[in-house]
Amino acid sequence: MPGVKVSVLLPAAGSGERIGRGPKAFLEVGGKTLLDWALEGFAWADERVVALPPERSLETPGIKTVLGGQTRQQSVFNLVQAATGEIVLVHDVARPFVVRAAVERLLEAVRTSGAATLAVPVPDTLVQEASGEYGAVIPREHHRLVQTPQGFRRELLWKAHLKARAEGQEFTDDAQLVRWLGHPVALVEGDRRMFKITYPEDLLLAEGLARVWNS
Ligand code: CTP
Ligand code: MG
């Protein structure tokens, strides 16, 4: 639907505990911050809104900012509240490599179904851990690893956030929240380059990818 305004919401307020080098959004890969990678990856959007940690600010012109919350969900709540687009895409700043073709697939699904997320197949054998032992194997062909961006009609996501807040429910992503509200969320083929930087070694992978990103 050309003409429908798209807001990109970037939660960037996490403290990056597992890497242990301060707020992750401000770590550099390939000479620029993860936040700048994400902002550039969505330069085409009608609106970009960033949730920042306290005591951080952003000088980039044309970008709206809000204060992040204690949890990712609280940060996204503040972002949705500030958004004006009919469609919102929520994207973790910890995923700096934005693959345009995957985002286009997602947008198409959001336009038709109102809620969708990128997801990728599980490449490894997936097993339950039971006291350090190899437990039951989970059929990986029936499972997906969920990525971002996740896209929604803004009013639907807002309704889900309001209800979750009122009932004290916390979720790790927005697709869960919308599904919990009772609305189906379409799974759209993601891209493994959109991996999340979570552990120190992920930064090494990101440095390698950054080197070839523009070629
Ligand atoms: N995030 C946020 N507000 C929070 C927590 C997380 O905006 N209170 C954001 C992060 O900045 C990140 C995304 O949510 O872009 C995914 O979170 P995660 O990868 O867990 O980042 P951190 O919470 O910063 O890392 P850690 O869990 O290791 O502390
Ligand atoms: Mg976290």
Side-chain angles (χ1 to χ4, degrees), residues 14-18 24 70-72 196 198:
S15 50
E17 301 264 312
R18 287 169 287 188
K24 220 157 51 178
Q70 292 287 319
T71 63
R72 183 187 183 280
K196 186 159 76 75
T198 306

Side-chain angles (χ1 to χ4, degrees), residues 29-31 37 97 204-215:
V29 159
W37 276 96
F97 303 105
L204 294 173
L205 295 174
E207 283 295 348
L209 185 50
R211 218 166 291 143
V212 295
W213 189 250
N214 288 318
S215 57

